[in-house]
Amino acid sequence: MSQAQSSNSNIPDTDFNLLEDSEDADNHTSEATATRLSLQFQLDETYIGQRIDQIAAMVWSDFSREKLKQWIKDGNLLVNGQPVKPKFKSDGFEILTLNVELEAQTRNLPEDIPLDIIYEDDDIIVINKAVGMVVHPGAGNTSGTLVNALLHHYPKSAELARAGLVHRIDKDTSGLLVVAKNLESQFSLSKQLEKKSVYRLYDLVVYGNIIAGGTIDEPIKRHPVDRVKMTVLPGGKDAVTHYNVKERFQHFTRVQARLETGRTHQIRVHFSYIGFGLIGDQVYMPRVRMPAGASQLLDDTLRGFKRQALHAAKLGLTHPRSKEEMTFEAPWPEDFANLIEVLRTENKAY
């Protein structure tokens, strides 16, 4: 059964480096709602002599400089409770106050689509995404997405960029996603992802026999010819995947992979790159590799598994408001569990 665990998790400390409180976080006080954003920040001597528009851009870097400058001009961003001009220079130790009304950030429509919600409070929603659900609307997928479902479940998410999404998983990957319910939570979770302190553990099944665990540290970028694909190429974005062998079969291996970075198709690209493509991956392993002498059950199972054998099984994060260390787990979906069971009975290891 899916479950949420608090800081007594059995995840090793070396694998679960949660976001630590920073000085900036200690200086912030706020009133977190999706409709109105209210933020305060206490300056110190490091800001003396700097322009207030420049300071605001450093303090609230998620907003554009132009938007912050406009808020200063409109009186939404105050210094010691008073309006100032963007060129106002800090004497140090002032209090910045930002009060803005958020406008709708999406034109997507709400749809009454069932969600498997693992956990929800006033700040975050943790969802076990089903196989086949697109996370964000795009070309050819304007409805039936997770965003459409979120807009129905929590209408105020329309006031957040990407309806509160901070990360994604592929359409045919199942498992856990965290979604923010207000702007401050979205900031916090985005920073945790940026600092690589969000714990993301995936279960996968690959062709071939992986001998031992390891780390794949190879840059990923868009394929220069096939634009549907990503590939390992110099000049790509840094991408790091740590993995451990969990179960060996005669011709396949069940692996757990932990993402240090979160590039598009990262696990699929990295394991294909080292010669161990995922079962069912229509993009990176388009042809089924059937073992010699495979039983009819194994043949049917492999040919019938039409999506990559990849499941986001565990997610760990620091709660944006309480700062509690939290982990969540999602069980294997039926098709993944059935695949493992068939491999255990029909493709046992030597």
Side-chain angles (χ1 to χ4, degrees):
M1 183 176 180
S2 303
Q3 61 181 342
Q5 300 172 328
S6 60
S7 56
N8 61 354
S9 165
N10 58 6
I11 297 174
D13 291 340
T14 53
D15 284 346
F16 195 32
N17 299 316
L18 289 163
L19 179 67
E20 297 179 355
D21 289 339
S22 66
E23 292 181 3
D24 284 356
D26 289 341
N27 286 343
H28 276 105
T29 60
S30 59
E31 176 185 307
T33 66
T35 303
R36 173 172 288 277
L37 179 68
S38 299
L39 297 171
Q40 280 193 341
F41 188 82
Q42 174 70 64
L43 301 185
D44 58 32
E45 66 273 7
T46 61
Y47 297 99
I48 293 175
Q50 298 186 57
R51 287 173 36 163
I52 207 66
D53 58 345
Q54 296 172 336
I55 294 172
M58 290 186 284
V59 171
W60 294 305
S61 58
D62 297 271
F63 297 117
S64 70
R65 284 178 175 267
E66 288 305 311
K67 179 170 285 189
L68 287 163
K69 186 178 292 187
Q70 190 60 52
W71 283 339
I72 294 171
K73 292 178 179 178
D74 293 343
N76 297 115
L77 200 165
L78 305 176
V79 178
N80 288 338
Q82 299 298 320
V84 297
K85 294 182 178 180
K87 294 182 179 180
F88 173 88
K89 291 188 177 181
S90 172
D91 292 328
F93 306 103
E94 294 101 335
I95 296 176
L96 303 189
T97 304
L98 178 63
N99 283 291
V100 289
E101 194 80 22
L102 300 179
E103 300 174 354
Q105 298 293 308
T106 180
R107 294 183 180 179
N108 301 116
L109 299 176
E111 296 179 32
D112 188 2
I113 302 170
L115 291 173
D116 182 4
I117 296 176
I118 303 295
Y119 175 85
E120 182 175 12
D121 60 23
D122 291 339
D123 300 291
I124 63 172
I125 309 173
V126 178
I127 294 166
N128 181 18
K129 188 189 81 67
V131 174
M133 175 180 272
V134 174
V135 171
H136 194 278
N141 293 293
T142 58
S143 64
T145 72
L146 177 59
V147 165
N148 298 113
L150 286 168
L151 291 169
H152 179 272
H153 175 75
Y154 185 62
K156 286 183 179 294
S157 63
E159 295 157 357
L160 301 173
R162 302 175 303 281
L165 292 175
V166 293
H167 65 128
R168 308 182 190 189
I169 55 178
D170 297 333
K171 172 186 176 183
D172 290 327
T173 298
S174 55
L176 295 170
L177 279 169
V178 61
V179 181
K181 293 179 71 174
N182 51 64
L183 195 53
E184 290 175 279
S185 295
Q186 196 171 28
F187 287 172
S188 172
L189 293 170
S190 295
K191 287 177 180 177
Q192 290 181 52
L193 285 161
E194 183 181 346
K195 293 182 178 181
K196 303 176 183 178
S197 61
V198 175
Y199 182 89
R200 290 169 289 173
L201 190 70
Y202 288 74
D203 287 317
L204 57 145
V205 185
V206 301
Y207 287 100
N209 299 122
I210 298 180
I211 303 303
T215 294
I216 309 169
D217 185 352
E218 296 290 346
I220 291 176
K221 67 187 304 184
R222 183 73 60 181
H223 195 286
V225 178
D226 188 344
R227 305 303 288 175
V228 173
K229 291 184 177 182
M230 307 298 289
T231 189
V232 169
L233 278 176
K237 293 182 178 179
D238 291 343
V240 180
T241 305
H242 307 282
Y243 65 93
N244 287 299
V245 173
K246 303 305 291 184
E247 197 168 359
R248 294 183 179 88
F249 307 105
Q250 190 172 349
H251 301 96
F252 308 92
T253 309
R254 180 167 72 85
V255 180
Q256 281 191 337
R258 179 172 64 85
L259 290 182
E260 183 175 315
T261 56
R263 308 306 177 198
T264 301
H265 298 178
Q266 179 172 318
I267 289 174
R268 299 162 63 189
V269 171
H270 269 172
F271 279 90
S272 176
Y273 176 77
I274 64 172
F276 297 96
L278 275 65
I279 288 178
D281 194 330
Q282 305 286 313
V283 175
Y284 299 99
M285 289 291 295
R287 300 176 67 178
V288 177
R289 288 164 45 187
M290 195 63 60
S295 68
Q296 189 62 52
L297 176 59
L298 180 58
D299 187 294
D300 291 344
T301 300
L302 292 176
R303 295 190 190 281
F305 203 90
K306 299 295 187 180
R307 59 102 173 185
Q308 60 268 9
L310 184 61
H311 174 67
K314 291 186 180 182
L315 177 69
L317 53 88
T318 299
H319 190 276
R321 184 183 300 271
S322 70
K323 308 306 178 189
E324 177 188 5
E325 297 178 1
M326 306 182 76
T327 63
F328 306 93
E329 298 184 19
W332 293 340
E334 185 177 352
D335 66 339
F336 193 97
N338 179 67
L339 172 65
I340 298 297
E341 185 59 32
V342 170
L343 292 178
R344 286 171 176 167
T345 57
E346 303 294 315
N347 199 252
K348 296 176 183 179
Y350 292 107

